[in-house]
Amino acid sequence: LSERLHNELIAISCIYSDNLKLRLEGGLPIVQIPVEHPSEHTVSVKVTLKFPTGYPDEPPRLGLHSTSFLKENLLEITGLLEEEAQLMKGDEAVFHLVTKAQEYVDA
């Protein structure tokens, strides 16, 4: 892992300690963070980020899963997050992307 990715994983582990799932696949980290509506806990989405070896110069690969959103909504939020990830190339992006997902869920 690069030092930047290592430091980012430590930071997000502190921020999302109760909900974060972290695993390695092929030596690369995969992070899963659930995002819930603040008052309607049945409205949620799991944001999965797979980090390529070139991260942060390459954006993380995104995956979203939800039983409370329609497929169209998942496609919309995925598209929005992928655009944000492209704009964040070169910068640490996890907190920003999860925040954007939270804004979508809260709306």
Side-chain angles (χ1 to χ4, degrees), residues 5 11 16 19 23 27 31 61 72 101:
L5 177 54
Y16 302 107
N19 298 317
R23 69 186 198 312
V31 172
R61 289 180 203 76
E72 296 83 31

Side-chain angles (χ1 to χ4, degrees), residues 65-77:
H65 175 75
S66 177
T67 57
S68 56
F69 278 93
L70 296 172
K71 184 178 180 177
E72 296 83 31
N73 296 113
L74 282 176
L75 290 173
E76 181 180 357
I77 189 174

Side-chain angles (χ1 to χ4, degrees), residues 1-86:
L1 297 180
S2 72
E3 183 177 345
R4 288 176 71 185
L5 177 54
H6 178 76
N7 291 340
E8 185 174 16
L9 291 175
I10 290 171
I12 62 169
S13 293
C14 293
I15 296 168
Y16 302 107
S17 60
D18 294 339
N19 298 317
L20 177 90
K21 290 184 181 177
L22 174 65
R23 69 186 198 312
L24 293 177
E25 187 176 287
L28 298 174
I30 297 174
V31 172
Q32 186 178 70
I33 302 170
V35 176
E36 290 186 341
H37 189 278
S39 60
E40 299 175 37
H41 297 290
T42 58
V43 177
S44 66
V45 64
K46 289 181 184 173
V47 179
T48 302
L49 301 155
K50 296 180 180 184
F51 297 92
T53 55
Y55 179 83
D57 294 323
E58 279 181 61
R61 289 180 203 76
L62 294 160
L64 282 86
H65 175 75
S66 177
T67 57
S68 56
F69 278 93
L70 296 172
K71 184 178 180 177
E72 296 83 31
N73 296 113
L74 282 176
L75 290 173
E76 181 180 357
I77 189 174
T78 300
L80 292 171
L81 293 178
E82 286 175 347
E83 285 177 25
E84 289 291 326
Q86 288 296 323

